[in-house]
Amino acid sequence: MEYPSIRRLEERMGYHFRNHYLLECALTHTSFTNEQKIHTLESYERLEFLGDAVLEMVSSAFLYRRYPDKREGEMTKLRSSLVCEPALAHCARELQLEEYIRLGRGEERNGGRQNDSILSDILEATIGAMYLDSGGVEEPQKYIMKYILSDPEGEVMFRDSKSALQEYVQKNGGDVRYELQEESGPNHRMTFRVAAFVGDRELAQGEGRSKKEAEQRAAAAALKRIAEKTDKKTNQCI
């Protein structure tokens, strides 16, 4: 597979590496180094370990300053929601990181390029790489704030859409199910369209770069429609 220019990725990241070897390592899966028998290039794993620590520190400090009235348990729960695997995978797709990951042929065939676990780990690895290259936390912090912590309330609401919709529907004696409607695009950049149903009634549809993301978007769209209908009924009563 041909990979896009790494310069384009740096433009998206908002940071130009002095040592491109670090970024190359961050984008390299162990399946690639094992298959190619490359001993001069590390995989992302050590950088992911470092990036995870940097992300935890930056996100903790951010939440501590932003929510002075929240208790430790509330901040821990909020941080977990913001930096959980699906959330980080979503951010990685926003950066189009999946186009740059070096995967072994077997992992490629198994859909590794769209795997939430791999994408979230690669994102954390790029944070670790940036930390080492820049020699401190200032540049990684800008990167994290732009792509991961830019809208904490909106992200949490989005991540909780499926749970909120299920809770609402169950109160009315129903249950939500999701059906895949369409898959499109090349293997490394697929788009999924999913519909949310209650019984045979379609509530809404959503698109995403993974089935999970599409389901969340369908749930969010359904909740928006429910809220709009509720507002209309309220206004009619007034």
Side-chain angles (χ1 to χ4, degrees), residues 24-40:
E24 288 175 9
C25 289
L27 297 169
T28 302
H29 191 261
T30 48
S31 63
F32 183 86
T33 55
N34 292 338
E35 189 176 279
Q36 300 292 325
K37 295 181 172 57
I38 299 175
H39 304 295
T40 57

Side-chain angles (χ1 to χ4, degrees), residues 111-180:
R113 203 166 293 278
Q114 293 297 331
N115 184 294
D116 279 5
S117 178
I118 292 176
L119 285 170
S120 62
D121 286 350
I122 292 289
L123 178 61
E124 289 181 328
T126 63
I127 294 170
M130 191 181 293
Y131 175 83
L132 290 178
D133 190 71
S134 65
V137 76
E138 184 177 347
E139 292 300 329
Q141 184 174 20
K142 292 177 186 176
Y143 180 49
I144 291 166
M145 291 304 303
K146 182 177 181 180
Y147 286 104
I148 302 175
L149 301 177
S150 59
D151 181 19
E153 288 88 357
E155 283 299 318
V156 170
M157 188 178 298
F158 175 68
R159 297 294 153 215
D160 290 343
S161 292
K162 284 182 68 176
S163 298
L165 180 62
Q166 181 69 10
E167 184 177 336
Y168 174 85
V169 171
Q170 283 183 336
K171 285 181 180 178
N172 292 276
D175 196 28
V176 184
R177 61 183 174 85
Y178 297 89
E179 287 187 5
L180 179 64

